[in-house]
């Protein structure tokens, strides 16, 4: 895990990364050491202290942990980094791949009828999976921006994917009907440096807040 070293821009007191303001004078925190963050659109690593957009796909990068959130997201309909949509729908979508594998049993199922149960299950999984990725993509493309607050960031020991545990980020955001709480699993462990109380942008569908995503997405 890479950590940045930070200090106050005004009085140069060295501060902890998880402070949003200087503990001595309240000044803004500046990063002394390089921050490497993964792009939420394509997972490439970037020196976030040198660039605001990914060197690989051009997508907007997340803000450095412990610093104020970015300016408001662009106006909808938003442009998503190239290749992102297909990764979310298919290649980086485990439920889509599982559904597709179940559907392959359609062919033996045509000869051995009881096996038709597998493609049927496959179709259900595919339908659910497409709906889920549409929610995410719709929120990113045309969701309404609102303030989100991180509630907790921790390694989720209950989930293992390829022998790794994801970092789980619990967050809540304002909606016309009150606060809505959700979470996201990410892999970039730099996100563990994001303190509870840190502000983010959430883009969401006011008619269905379950359609929401952090803007820009985290990796
Ligand atoms: Zn200071
Ligand atoms: Zn990228």
């Amino acid at each position: 895990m890479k950590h940045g070293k930070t200090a106050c821009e005004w009085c140069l007191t060295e501060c902890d990364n998880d402070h949003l303001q200087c503990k001595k004078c309240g000044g803004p925190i500046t990063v002394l050491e390089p921050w490497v963050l993964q792009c939420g659109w394509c997972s490439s690593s970037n020196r976030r202290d040198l660039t605001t957009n990914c060197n690989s796909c051009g997508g907007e990068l997340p803000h450095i942990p412990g610093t104020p959130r970015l300016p408001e997201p662009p106006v909808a309909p938003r442009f998503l980094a190239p290749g992102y949509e297909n990764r979310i729908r298919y290649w980086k979508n485990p439920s889509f791949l599982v559904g597709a594998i179940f559907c392959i049993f359609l062919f033996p199922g045509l000869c051995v009828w009881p096996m038709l149960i597998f493609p049927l299950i496959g179709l259900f999984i595919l339908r659910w999976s497409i709906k889920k990725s549409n929610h995410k993509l719709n929120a990113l493309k045309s969701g309404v921006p609102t303030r989100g607050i991180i509630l907790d960031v921790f390694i989720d020991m209950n989930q293992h994917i390829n022998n790794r545990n994801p970092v789980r980020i619990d967050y809540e955001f304002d909606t016309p009907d009150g606060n809505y709480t959700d979470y996201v699993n990410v892999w970039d462990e730099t996100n563990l440096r994001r303190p509870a109380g840190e502000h983010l942008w959430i883009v969401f569908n006011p008619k269905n807040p379950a359609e929401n995503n952090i803007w820009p997405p985290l990796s």
Side-chain angles (χ1 to χ4, degrees), residues 94-104 118-119 121-126:
S95 55
F96 180 85
L97 298 175
V98 170
I101 288 167
F102 270 78
C103 284
I104 292 172
F118 293 112
I121 295 172
L123 281 179
F124 267 106
I125 300 177
L126 281 185

Side-chain angles (χ1 to χ4, degrees), residues 39 41-44 46 54 56-59:
C39 169
W41 307 101
C42 76
S43 312
S44 302
N46 282 269
C54 173
S56 180
C57 74

Side-chain angles (χ1 to χ4, degrees), residues 45-59:
S45 292
N46 282 269
R47 277 277 305 271
R48 182 59 181 84
D49 50 322
L50 298 182
T51 178
T52 55
N53 286 69
C54 173
N55 286 319
S56 180
C57 74

Side-chain angles (χ1 to χ4, degrees), residues 6-15 22 24-25 30 32:
T6 46
C8 172
E9 217 168 88
W10 295 343
C11 73
L12 301 178
T13 306
E14 226 176 271
C15 299
C22 170
K24 216 163 137 193
C25 75
T30 211
L32 300 178

Side-chain angles (χ1 to χ4, degrees), residues 20 31 35-38 48-49 51-52 60-71 148 150 188 190-191 193-195 197-201 214-218:
L20 293 170
V31 178
W35 271 99
V36 177
L37 282 185
Q38 278 173 23
R48 182 59 181 84
D49 50 322
T51 178
T52 55
E60 195 177 358
L61 294 170
H63 70 279
I64 293 174
T67 66
R69 67 180 167 169
L70 298 163
I150 292 183
D188 184 358
T190 314
N191 287 311
R193 305 293 299 166
R194 298 193 183 280
E198 182 165 295
H199 287 186
L200 308 151
W201 284 106
I214 295 173
W215 179 279
L218 303 175

Side-chain angles (χ1 to χ4, degrees), residues 7-202:
C8 172
E9 217 168 88
W10 295 343
C11 73
L12 301 178
T13 306
E14 226 176 271
C15 299
D16 289 335
N17 276 319
D18 45 7
H19 287 156
L20 293 170
Q21 289 177 322
C22 170
K23 51 186 186 271
K24 216 163 137 193
C25 75
I29 306 295
T30 211
V31 178
L32 300 178
E33 279 181 3
W35 271 99
V36 177
L37 282 185
Q38 278 173 23
C39 169
W41 307 101
C42 76
S43 312
S44 302
S45 292
N46 282 269
R47 277 277 305 271
R48 182 59 181 84
D49 50 322
L50 298 182
T51 178
T52 55
N53 286 69
C54 173
N55 286 319
S56 180
C57 74
E60 195 177 358
L61 294 170
H63 70 279
I64 293 174
T67 66
R69 67 180 167 169
L70 298 163
E72 186 159 349
V75 213
R78 287 175 211 97
F79 167 79
L80 309 186
Y84 181 72
E85 220 171 304
N86 283 341
R87 272 192 296 274
I88 292 300
R89 283 189 201 284
Y90 313 116
W91 315 122
K92 282 199 143 190
N93 185 354
S95 55
F96 180 85
L97 298 175
V98 170
I101 288 167
F102 270 78
C103 284
I104 292 172
F105 282 92
L106 174 63
F107 301 104
L110 290 176
C111 310
V112 190
W113 284 67
M115 281 182 100
L116 278 177
I117 189 74
F118 293 112
L120 268 177
I121 295 172
L123 281 179
F124 267 106
I125 300 177
L126 281 185
R127 235 189 79 187
W128 176 79
S129 156
I130 289 166
K131 212 170 135 191
K132 218 179 85 184
S133 30
N134 278 343
H135 277 183
K136 189 180 171 82
L137 293 167
N138 288 344
L140 285 169
K141 280 191 217 161
S142 48
V144 175
T146 186
R147 182 186 62 172
I149 299 173
I150 292 183
L151 300 175
D152 202 2
V153 182
F154 58 97
I155 294 190
D156 190 350
M157 292 303 195
N158 296 320
Q159 289 213 57
H160 302 260
I161 298 170
N162 297 329
N163 284 329
R164 286 177 70 201
N165 307 103
V167 175
R168 174 171 154 155
I169 301 180
D170 291 343
Y171 59 91
E172 70 175 12
F173 59 95
D174 313 327
T175 78
D177 306 314
N179 283 355
Y180 188 88
T181 310
D182 210 339
Y183 74 92
V184 65
N185 285 329
V186 294
W187 295 101
D188 184 358
E189 294 201 344
T190 314
N191 287 311
L192 287 169
R193 305 293 299 166
R194 298 193 183 280
E198 182 165 295
H199 287 186
L200 308 151
W201 284 106
I202 304 291

